[in-house]
Amino acid sequence: MKKVFSDPTSALAGLLRDDMTIMCGGFGLCGIPDELIEAVKASGVKGLTVVSNNAGVDGVGLGKLLETRQVRKMISSYVGENKEFARQFLAGELEIEFNPQGTLAERIRAGGAGIPAFFTKTGVGTKVAEGKEVREFDGEDYVMERGLFADLALVHAYQGDTEGNLAYRLTARNFNPMMATAAKVTVAQVEHLVQPGEIDAANIHTPGIYVKRIVHVPIREKRIEQRTTRKRAEGAAAGGGQI
Amino acid sequence: MAWTREQMAARAARELEDGFYVNLGIGIPTLVSNYIPDGMSVQLQSENGMLGMGPFPFEGEEDPDLINAGKQTITALPTTSYFSSADSFAMIRGGHINLSILGAMQVAENGDLANWMIPGKMVKGMGGAMDLVAGVKRVVVVMEHVAKNKDGSESAKLLKACDLPLTGTHVVDMVITDLGVFTIDKKGDGGMTLIELADGVTEEEVRAKTEAAYTVALAA
């Protein structure tokens, strides 16, 4: 079965419909499937529920789908960087479900692993736990969270082979590997499309079984959200550096 | 004189121990990395999926694929490892991180923490804060002692009970402010204790600016 598609639009052909749930990989603007998002925008599909840690910035990433009012609801942990998002949210045009970041990651991992629910300490005694089952284990309270499974997952990887095996680069991995496992169909955009065997089999992060379609999007300019640097004269602190 | 941001960060760095794995929040907590003592091995965790965070890159060497949880460009170290966000929070939730240093809007005398939303204002989300305070063994808050309001008045941030929505309950072990240092017996009945005063700050000043009940046990 051929997994490789020639462009983002054909990679999404037949998969998009109104009111569907889409998972979208990335953290901030790092490791986002930007060209696949562009193709979703061009399709005009609307009423979307989007599962993504963040919501892009104005005009980039999921910011594109917000501008065109194609998103009905976001399931996210942090959305601070987007003026259009704030405007729609405050106007009551956009629904948001906040999940703690680790709970969001684990809900996706669980959904992909066939686990319908799990218990976590995170959020016990806060708004996050309201209306959810709380159970005591070994003297501590835990809240029940549900696994998440979507109609479609859009992920970004550094390398992918024609069998759909994926490898991510540095912190661009983030939510992509879990999301690749947690949807009926996963479509990956890859910076480098290679032949089977070219990615060291021990260094494949997402096995091809999870990836139905793959599209080669060669390196383009990647956006940086917070460009922070240090002067060459400065010493190398163990982390952080001067703010 | 109260402590500056740099002095608060330096004080927080005294909570580090050799071999610690540490998560630093945004703001003053990030400055703590500048005060890791020479010869001490401390690995910084970034919850998007990295252990062993290096300093900011030199100009021209920024890599868009290498960012921290504040979305700032950073660098790797020989000790660095990368992993997914699910693995990252398994590390946090599973109690493998020794210390979390983070900011706060309010802290209560029982160790409750509020730092993610103000009702009626635009809510950005909690990010990883709820996971960090629930999962990390030891939680140190670094914050200004009082909030300065728009009309020039001041509001206490160390309270009997938080009135903002909580990030976690019974989670804070220590609070470092510009006026001093408090410990909190977060799981027991010991309450809050003032253990240090900032240079030139009096017990009376702290008392006047603190709503929470606390005992005083200053080091000689």
Side-chain angles (χ1 to χ4, degrees), chain A residues 3 19 25 30 32 43 49 51 54 57 71 83 90 93 116 119 128 130 138 149 164 167 178 189-190 198 225 233 241:
Chain A
K3 292 189 175 181
D19 305 316
C30 182
I32 57 172
S43 78
T49 295
V51 181
N54 312 99
V57 300
V71 181
K83 287 192 191 72
L90 293 171
E93 299 167 7
F119 285 89
V128 162
E130 285 173 11
D138 305 321
F149 198 82
M178 298 84 79
Q189 78 167 66
V190 299
E198 287 190 51
E225 208 164 325

Side-chain angles (χ1 to χ4, degrees), chain A residues 120-122 142, chain B residues 45 86-98 131-132 134-137:
Chain A
T120 175
K121 282 186 283 196
T122 302
Y142 294 79
Chain B
Q45 201 248 19
D87 289 330
S88 180
F89 282 94
M91 203 177 275
I92 290 166
R93 201 187 300 104
H96 305 284
I97 305 290
N98 301 95
D131 309 277
L132 283 161
V136 174
K137 287 175 192 157

Side-chain angles (χ1 to χ4, degrees), chain A residues 57-216:
Chain A
V57 300
D58 291 302
V60 185
L62 292 170
K64 293 174 191 171
L65 298 184
L66 291 165
E67 278 172 3
T68 49
R69 312 281 186 93
Q70 287 169 274
V71 181
R72 182 183 64 80
K73 178 180 177 180
M74 291 291 310
I75 301 177
S76 303
S77 85
Y78 192 85
V79 297
E81 324 299 344
N82 196 320
K83 287 192 191 72
E84 177 61 15
F85 186 103
R87 195 200 63 71
Q88 288 182 26
F89 176 73
L90 293 171
E93 299 167 7
L94 179 67
E95 194 183 332
I96 169 107
E97 176 186 323
F98 283 118
N99 285 193
Q101 197 175 327
T103 295
L104 181 63
E106 189 64 11
R107 290 183 71 193
I108 298 162
R109 196 198 70 80
I115 296 171
F118 59 93
F119 285 89
T120 175
K121 282 186 283 196
T122 302
V124 169
T126 75
K127 277 180 177 298
V128 162
E130 285 173 11
K132 295 174 184 167
E133 181 183 343
V134 173
R135 198 184 294 184
E136 189 187 309
F137 295 92
D138 305 321
E140 271 207 76
D141 284 341
Y142 294 79
V143 59
M144 189 176 82
E145 295 282 358
R146 299 293 309 269
L148 271 174
F149 198 82
D151 299 305
L152 175 65
L154 307 178
V155 302
H156 170 277
Y158 180 63
Q159 286 181 308
D161 69 23
T162 55
E163 292 296 307
N165 294 306
L166 305 179
Y168 308 97
R169 184 169 177 269
L170 312 180
T171 57
R173 190 181 318 188
N174 54 63
F175 281 79
N176 286 297
M178 298 84 79
M179 288 187 172
T181 71
K184 289 175 198 157
V185 179
T186 292
V187 182
Q189 78 167 66
V190 299
E191 293 180 38
H192 300 278
L193 182 65
V194 300
Q195 291 304 308
E198 287 190 51
I199 307 172
D200 178 354
N203 290 325
I204 289 169
H205 301 128
T206 293
I209 189 171
Y210 296 114
V211 179
K212 293 282 192 303
R213 300 185 182 188
I214 188 164
V215 58
H216 181 210

Side-chain angles (χ1 to χ4, degrees), chain B residues 70-120:
Chain B
K71 287 131 190 165
Q72 298 171 314
T73 46
I74 48 162
T75 56
L77 298 170
T79 52
T80 296
S81 55
Y82 300 105
F83 32 83
S84 74
S85 299
D87 289 330
S88 180
F89 282 94
M91 203 177 275
I92 290 166
R93 201 187 300 104
H96 305 284
I97 305 290
N98 301 95
L99 176 65
S100 169
I101 302 178
L102 73 176
M105 296 172 183
Q106 297 179 337
V107 177
E109 61 194 41
N110 65 353
D112 285 2
L113 168 71
N115 72 351
W116 78 283
M117 76 173 283
I118 300 172

